[in-house]
Amino acid sequence: MKTEDLFSILENLSKSTKLQDTTDQLRTALTELGLDHISYLAVNIPTQKTALPLLAVTYAPEWQRHYYQNNYVDIDPVVKAGLGGLLPIDWAQVDRSQRVVQRFFSEAQDFDIGQQGLSFPIRGRMNEFALFSVTSDVSDVEWQKMRPTIVPQLLLIAHHFHHYALLNAGVEAPNYGALLSQREKECLRWRATGKSDWDISQIMNISERTVKFHLENARAKLDALNTTHAVAKALATGAIALF
Amino acid sequence: MIRVIHGHERAMFPREIDQMHRLRKKVFYDRMNWDVPVINTWEADGFDALDPVYLLKISDENQVIGTVRLLPTTGFTMINDIFSELLPDGAPIYSPRIWEGSRFAVDSDVSQTGERTAVSRTAIELLLAGNEIGMGIGMTHCVGVFDLNMHRLMKRIGCAGEPLAPPKRIGHVMCIAVLMEMGAETDARLRHLGGITGEVIEPRKSAQITRNTPVPHAA
């Protein structure tokens, strides 16, 4: 499974599909990365009339019920650290000195949540807070080996997921594609003609570092997977034109 | 060493947080004469309310002598929401892989021998720690707004970053938006500049990960 496929699963999420179905598909796809479950929680979504969070989880329904009945959201240390902090969280690092927290994790284990977990806090421009988490049941040694690779990948997947979850919930997200600067468009256009970052730096008389910066910013604004994808999206949406 | 404090955990570090806000008042208000919000002995603004990641340089005398705060550009940032005129076309920066460093302050009163060295060492350590965190999550760049004088000082040290657009006057201060590439190359360059080997981030138990965060019960 390539990251491209993960992105296309999310792009299929339109207003008519259920967020939960997409989450289940994404979960299946992520098993190839050695991951078991996904959970997504978003609060303070502008379209939600109620204070209820936007929620999608792939955990066993029994665990979800147990979690809900025991008000575990109040003691879940991952939710606490994740909605408060900015950097990704490794569940292994969470303070387990409190007895309720120990019990929480051991019960989660009983419901096959997985031994390992990573959570990605998301802060958006509509004052929303979100948390995208994945779990895995690999050994500690294996986890330490795979974590450096999956964290940067999952950071993008988490934000991509959030973007589509908001669209799915009917939130009019700001059209960042329309907010591309001239420089960003220029870099994308040159990439579309097959120029390398170095070529572009020479043509535009800026450093290669700055070219990379403009392309990364454009990639994220277009919600694209990589630069090639960003070029394609920019051309398709008319943000840039070759001729 | 650099102490990393997550904004939502600030109550656990009252002394460091107090010293940091005092240092910021001293640097930005007293010395640079910036138009910044001051509450008694503190400089503090709305971005502190967003619980940023604070990097604090702690001296051997256990004092905060340098600081910077980090925020992702997906949320609210100074560069997008206050200083957008410093950006090319005023177009916002928006990426989970690009973060903003703001309120970069170094205490120039550190009375250690060779003041210049102490100041540059602190600046380099702060950048190195920021880069370390960045590498842990796959950050590609960091952006920030600098006072032109500060920018020149950073240039002399050799770590000023790259201007994004020409400098502009904001209020009575000439400002410039700069970008810094994150990654192994930056790590090597900064270490070489500062003659720094070994860890720069103080080891501390925290849920949030940095590049070298170990799995505690491994092996």
Side-chain angles (χ1 to χ4, degrees):
Chain A
M1 173 73 55
K2 292 194 217 123
T3 325
E4 280 90 338
D5 302 324
L6 300 176
F7 270 60
S8 58
I9 288 172
L10 291 172
E11 277 168 12
N12 288 335
L13 181 65
S14 64
K15 281 181 189 178
S16 55
T17 48
K18 282 213 177 80
L19 183 63
Q20 185 60 49
D21 295 342
T22 302
T23 310
D24 291 334
Q25 282 174 35
L26 185 67
R27 180 208 167 185
T28 311
L30 284 177
T31 52
E32 290 192 31
L33 284 177
L35 301 171
D36 281 342
H37 285 287
I38 301 173
S39 71
Y40 169 78
L41 169 78
V43 295
N44 203 27
I45 300 294
T47 50
Q48 306 277 97
K49 288 200 182 67
T50 60
L52 282 178
L54 201 56
L55 192 69
V57 288
T58 63
Y59 305 140
E62 297 79 24
W63 168 248
Q64 292 182 43
R65 204 161 22 235
H66 186 69
Y67 188 100
Y68 180 75
Q69 281 167 354
N70 288 284
N71 264 330
Y72 273 177
V73 72
D74 293 339
I75 61 156
D76 188 337
V78 172
V79 169
K80 208 176 278 174
L83 289 181
L86 296 175
L87 289 168
I89 294 159
D90 186 338
W91 295 10
Q93 295 291 317
V94 167
D95 181 8
R96 298 179 192 220
S97 53
Q98 275 184 294
R99 185 156 304 151
V100 280
V101 174
Q102 286 167 18
R103 200 183 63 203
F104 170 78
F105 275 113
S106 95
E107 284 177 11
Q109 200 53 47
D110 295 340
F111 287 97
D112 291 327
I113 299 310
Q115 301 201 51
Q116 319 290 355
L118 279 172
S119 291
F120 296 81
I122 298 163
R123 297 287 182 91
R125 292 191 60 83
M126 284 166 293
N127 297 312
E128 81 279 21
F129 286 61
L131 191 63
F132 179 89
S133 307
V134 293
T135 68
S136 172
D137 213 18
V138 300
S139 71
D140 292 341
V141 176
E142 191 59 33
W143 183 242
Q144 196 156 21
K145 237 185 283 167
M146 67 194 260
R147 200 186 62 193
T149 324
I150 61 171
V151 166
Q153 286 178 307
L154 288 167
L155 179 79
L156 288 195
I157 291 169
H159 282 83
H160 200 64
F161 187 99
H162 179 63
H163 174 81
Y164 281 97
L166 285 186
L167 289 180
N168 184 255
V171 177
E172 289 288 332
N175 182 6
Y176 290 111
L179 295 174
L180 291 174
S181 71
Q182 286 309 319
R183 290 254 156 140
E184 284 156 13
K185 287 184 199 166
E186 213 175 322
C187 289
L188 286 171
R189 258 196 309 268
W190 286 118
R191 276 298 287 262
T193 64
K195 300 280 188 218
S196 71
D197 290 352
W198 189 84
D199 296 336
I200 301 171
S201 76
Q202 298 304 302
I203 297 166
M204 292 176 64
N205 197 23
I206 54 180
S207 76
E208 199 177 337
R209 235 170 256 142
T210 309
V211 172
K212 287 199 171 89
F213 168 76
H214 289 315
L215 288 171
E216 165 55 23
N217 202 19
R219 179 205 64 75
K221 284 180 185 172
L222 291 161
D223 211 60
L225 158 69
N226 52 35
T227 305
T228 313
H229 190 199
V231 169
K233 274 188 131 176
L235 285 169
T237 56
I240 60 165
L242 273 182
F243 303 104
Chain B
M1 287 228 123
I2 302 296
R3 189 164 298 165
V4 180
I5 298 179
H6 303 281
H8 70 292
E9 295 174 347
R10 60 162 67 71
M12 287 160 60
F13 303 91
R15 202 176 146 274
E16 290 92 332
I17 292 291
D18 175 53
Q19 284 190 11
M20 175 198 68
H21 285 293
R22 283 170 185 266
L23 172 62
R24 279 166 42 177
K25 175 180 177 278
K26 183 164 121 187
V27 169
F28 297 114
Y29 185 80
D30 299 341
R31 189 170 306 144
M32 293 167 109
N33 202 19
W34 280 18
D35 182 19
V36 288
V38 168
I39 311 160
N40 198 341
T41 53
W42 282 22
E43 182 278 309
D45 68 5
F47 295 94
D48 290 308
L50 300 175
D51 290 344
V53 179
Y54 296 107
L55 306 186
L56 307 177
K57 164 70 182 174
I58 312 287
S59 72
D60 295 338
E61 291 80 29
N62 221 5
Q63 297 294 308
V64 173
I65 56 166
T67 173
V68 66
R69 68 180 176 195
L70 306 175
L71 284 164
T73 58
T74 52
F76 301 106
T77 54
M78 299 196 82
I79 208 164
N80 283 335
D81 297 288
I82 295 183
F83 297 119
S84 62
E85 57 188 298
L86 293 173
L87 291 170
D89 307 338
I93 295 164
Y94 175 83
S95 164
R97 296 204 290 207
I98 303 173
W99 285 47
E100 174 188 72
S102 64
R103 291 293 193 256
F104 186 94
V106 175
D107 192 351
S108 52
D109 288 350
V110 275
S111 55
Q112 290 159 340
T113 43
E115 186 179 295
R116 273 283 288 283
T117 349
V119 170
S120 57
R121 164 96 191 191
T122 300
I124 292 168
E125 266 191 57
L126 285 168
L127 297 177
L128 203 49
N131 187 53
E132 180 108 341
I133 288 173
M135 283 163 79
I137 66 167
M139 224 185 264
T140 60
H141 299 83
C142 205
V143 289
V145 172
F146 280 90
D147 172 294
L148 212 50
N149 292 321
M150 187 66 185
H151 181 63
R152 281 193 207 105
L153 175 81
M154 299 291 280
K155 246 186 187 163
R156 279 202 294 277
I157 301 172
C159 51
E162 307 210 9
L164 274 169
K168 256 190 193 162
R169 183 172 296 279
I170 293 184
H172 57 275
V173 184
M174 284 300 281
C175 295
I176 188 162
V178 297
L179 94 95
M180 228 165 268
E181 195 176 38
M182 304 272 105
E185 224 173 274
T186 300
D187 182 77
R189 197 171 50 79
L190 290 173
R191 283 181 183 279
H192 177 75
L193 266 179
I196 298 167
T197 49
E199 298 291 317
V200 278
I201 296 180
E202 204 176 65
R204 175 169 80 81
K205 188 152 174 70
S206 165
Q208 275 79 12
I209 62 177
T210 58
R211 184 167 61 116
N212 296 321
T213 303
V215 176
H217 43 281

